[in-house]
Amino acid sequence: MGVKFIKISVCYFVIGVCLGMFMSMTGKFTFTPVHVHINLLGWTAMTLAGLIYVAFPSASETRLAKVHFWGHNLALPVMMIGLALLVSGVAAAGTAVAIGGTVMVLSIIIFAINILLNVKN
């Protein structure tokens, strides 16, 4: 799972950087919260999770790691599309942000449980 996390994190990194470049070129920074969250939750958090899973294969090989991966990767696009719509004035998109955010938090809690249970001295 570690390598999968690292590879998908690079995709989020490209998306986040391209969004940042777009905002810089247009001078419109409406999507700053989306840019920040894609870089933090997509690039940084997933890269670190991937490196932890590479360093501790016992945690990487669990069902919890798979649930973490899929939960994180389903939640982030839902939350980010919802957030982009929300900051663009679509109030109803708050539901997508809430659902994506909740799944994201649950995925991160699953990651924490996995690490606490399966990373040994």
Side-chain angles (χ1 to χ4, degrees):
M1 291 309 300
V3 172
K4 288 182 181 182
F5 269 97
I6 293 167
K7 285 185 174 183
I8 195 82
S9 76
V10 171
C11 296
Y12 287 117
F13 188 37
V14 170
I15 292 167
V17 168
C18 287
L19 180 56
M21 186 171 138
F22 167 78
M23 290 188 305
S24 290
M25 291 170 65
T26 62
K28 296 177 183 173
F29 297 94
T30 306
F31 297 116
T32 297
V34 179
H35 166 73
V36 169
H37 281 84
I38 288 172
N39 282 319
L40 178 61
L41 293 171
W43 164 239
T44 307
M46 292 189 79
T47 298
L48 289 172
L51 292 172
I52 290 168
Y53 283 139
V54 167
F56 299 98
S58 59
S60 177
E61 297 164 0
T62 65
R63 180 170 167 79
L64 290 172
K66 289 180 180 73
V67 172
H68 171 213
F69 179 84
W70 288 109
H72 202 121
N73 281 290
L74 293 172
L76 189 57
V78 169
M79 188 169 68
M80 292 304 94
I81 291 168
L83 186 56
L85 291 169
L86 189 64
V87 298
S88 296
V90 180
T95 303
V97 176
I99 291 169
T102 300
V103 174
M104 178 63 69
V105 169
L106 291 172
S107 297
I108 291 169
I109 291 169
I110 289 168
F111 170 67
I113 291 167
N114 188 23
I115 296 308
L116 294 171
L117 290 176
N118 295 297
V119 173
K120 310 288 184 205
N121 291 341

